[in-house]
Amino acid sequence: MLHHKKKGIAPLRERLLALCPEREIFLRSGGQVKFVRISRRAQLAAIGVASVALLGWGGMTLSMLADSASIAQERAALAQQGRSVATAATKVEGYRKSVQDLAQDLEARQDFMDDLYKTHFGDQDDKAPGSDMAAPTKADKSDALTAKISLAPEAAPLVRLEARQRQFATLLTAAVERRADKAAAAIRSFGLNPDHLARSAARAQGGPFVPWKGDKGALTNELETLADAMSRMEFLERSLLTIPSGQPTAAPMLTSSYGYRRDPFNGHAAFHAGLDFPGRYGQPITAAADGKVSYVGQRQGYGNVVEVEHGNGIMTRYAHLSGFAAHVGQKVARGDTVGRMGSTGRSTGTHLHFEVRLNGQAVNPRPFLEARKDVLQVQQIATARFADVRDRS
């Protein structure tokens, strides 16, 4: 193999030697002749230097061409990046505009809610619900607000609106709690304990379990407190509507009160569980509150009876009737006719025996029928609110 390699190199060497024979150059100057001898080695060295120079020049040329191509590619990449940046800038500008439009829409809705608040609850607080909050009450909320704005300056209007809505929820909660407290005071004026009613209602709960699908993190403390206050007001006002405060008949006077009396038949001391209203035979007997008819028929000593369940353990009984105007399971509203006045059962004459029972025990009906004017106003407000809810549904 080495032999073949030498054999291949020899002709090339011979050609180079043939191209570079020793040369003598004669120069004539001033009648004198001089000659310069150029050896074969010098010629080969010159060819080598020229070859190296030529190769170097070619390498530099290729390198410059490569650099030029690289620069062109970089310029193209920079141009593409510039176009991408321009597109991103357009998108950011669109995002900013959409955020501003959204903030304006939400601000308009918040202004509308603020106006509703003032209309229904008045401007009773130091700050109106619509006033912007420079800083929330607590320092940590203020820090959180500043952090959100610094991270996303474009979202600053939305962050300020969030703070405004938090304050609105707080003010609305205070208004709802005031209204709930009025309903609780009205219930107490009837001799009932609203806390006991609430505990009874809490025990009577049920229904299938349906997991909450909403975002729990979306409910702030203010909204959770507002939801609890609304639930309390809802319960108290509904409970207030179940309290019998309407006159069961048009009779203006009582013939017998609740409590101790002498029995009209034997004269012995006896307990009278209700109030007696005199009147004409067949006079309409009306429900004292909203409820559902639970019994229509006769009971010993009472004669013909209609009983209405009002919820929260409250029941009214209308006795000694001459006729019925309701049936079991019928829903009745305050003032609906449920029967006619008579003198059936253990009775000495035409009248209505009216009872109020709480969890099966008779209580004095007089506080229910002699409610104060302010209590009746609270009851009327609750009636109007639930009537409006029914109409919308």
Side-chain angles (χ1 to χ4, degrees):
M1 184 174 180
L2 184 62
H3 175 73
H4 290 297
K5 184 175 181 181
K6 287 183 178 180
K7 191 174 182 179
I9 293 175
L12 179 61
R13 183 177 180 184
E14 291 176 358
R15 288 194 187 99
L16 287 174
L17 293 175
L19 289 174
C20 301
E22 290 188 0
R23 300 177 187 274
E24 290 184 353
I25 300 175
F26 293 90
L27 299 174
R28 184 185 296 272
S29 176
Q32 294 181 356
V33 178
K34 296 180 181 181
F35 69 92
V36 177
R37 184 179 181 181
I38 302 175
S39 66
R40 181 178 295 170
R41 180 176 297 178
Q43 293 179 51
L44 291 174
I47 292 174
V49 170
S51 299
V52 171
L54 182 62
L55 290 174
W57 177 82
M60 290 179 62
T61 302
L62 292 176
S63 176
M64 291 175 63
L65 290 175
D67 290 342
S68 178
S70 176
I71 290 173
Q73 290 179 352
E74 290 179 356
R75 287 178 178 176
L78 288 175
Q80 180 62 34
Q81 289 179 0
R83 288 191 293 270
S84 300
V85 169
T87 303
T90 303
K91 291 182 179 179
V92 169
E93 186 61 28
Y95 162 74
R96 288 177 177 174
K97 188 176 184 305
S98 65
V99 168
Q100 291 174 354
D101 293 342
L102 177 60
Q104 290 175 357
D105 291 342
L106 293 177
E107 287 282 357
R109 294 178 188 176
Q110 186 63 41
D111 290 339
F112 177 74
M113 289 190 292
D114 293 341
D115 291 339
L116 283 180
Y117 175 90
K118 293 177 184 178
T119 300
H120 292 282
F121 296 104
D123 198 5
Q124 301 180 18
D125 296 272
D126 295 333
K127 284 189 177 182
S131 60
D132 289 337
M133 295 178 63
T137 304
K138 295 183 179 179
D140 56 345
K141 291 184 179 180
S142 179
D143 295 341
L145 177 63
T146 304
K148 288 181 181 179
I149 294 177
S150 63
L151 289 175
E154 298 83 4
L158 298 179
V159 176
R160 285 192 293 268
L161 180 60
E162 178 192 12
R164 184 179 174 189
Q165 289 181 344
R166 283 175 179 270
Q167 185 193 30
F168 179 82
T170 301
L171 293 178
L172 184 57
T173 299
V176 169
E177 288 176 344
R178 287 194 297 269
R179 184 160 165 172
D181 290 340
K182 288 182 180 179
I187 292 174
R188 291 189 188 93
S189 70
F190 291 110
L192 302 175
N193 189 323
D195 295 331
H196 291 172
L197 296 181
R199 282 194 289 270
S200 298
R203 287 194 297 269
Q205 296 181 352
F209 172 71
V210 180
W212 171 255
K213 295 182 179 180
D215 183 7
K216 295 180 180 179
L219 290 178
T220 63
N221 292 334
E222 292 85 356
L223 291 180
E224 289 181 351
T225 303
L226 175 60
D228 292 341
M230 290 289 290
S231 297
R232 178 172 177 263
M233 183 187 75
E234 178 90 2
F235 168 76
L236 291 174
E237 289 192 342
R238 285 192 180 276
S239 298
L240 191 60
L241 294 183
T242 67
I243 296 176
S245 58
Q247 293 291 331
T249 184
M253 59 179 295
L254 303 176
T255 56
S256 184
S257 297
Y258 173 87
Y260 168 82
R261 73 170 184 179
R262 288 189 178 276
D263 185 80
F265 288 93
N266 58 32
H268 296 305
F271 173 73
H272 188 231
L275 300 177
D276 289 345
F277 294 82
R280 69 180 187 279
Y281 188 85
Q283 183 172 317
I285 304 302
T286 59
D290 297 356
K292 181 185 289 188
V293 177
S294 58
Y295 182 82
V296 175
Q298 292 188 339
R299 292 195 182 279
Q300 185 176 4
Y302 290 97
N304 293 332
V305 171
V306 172
E307 295 175 355
V308 179
E309 294 286 349
H310 303 283
N312 296 323
I314 301 174
M315 181 267 281
T316 52
R317 176 177 291 166
Y318 310 84
H320 305 310
L321 304 178
S322 62
F324 305 117
H327 59 270
V328 174
Q330 177 181 341
K331 291 184 178 181
V332 294
R334 188 190 312 270
D336 288 352
T337 299
V338 296
R340 302 290 175 182
M341 187 177 291
S343 185
T344 57
R346 197 168 183 269
S347 171
T348 60
T350 300
H351 73 286
L352 167 69
H353 175 84
F354 174 70
E355 288 185 11
V356 176
R357 290 183 171 264
L358 179 63
N359 297 323
Q361 300 295 319
V363 296
N364 190 356
R366 188 179 293 275
F368 297 91
L369 304 182
E370 295 179 352
R372 301 190 311 269
K373 183 178 179 180
D374 60 331
V375 172
L376 294 178
Q377 287 178 344
V378 175
Q379 203 170 41
Q380 289 171 0
I381 291 173
T383 301
R385 185 171 78 87
F386 287 111
D388 183 59
V389 171
R390 286 194 295 269
D391 291 342
R392 288 199 301 268
S393 60

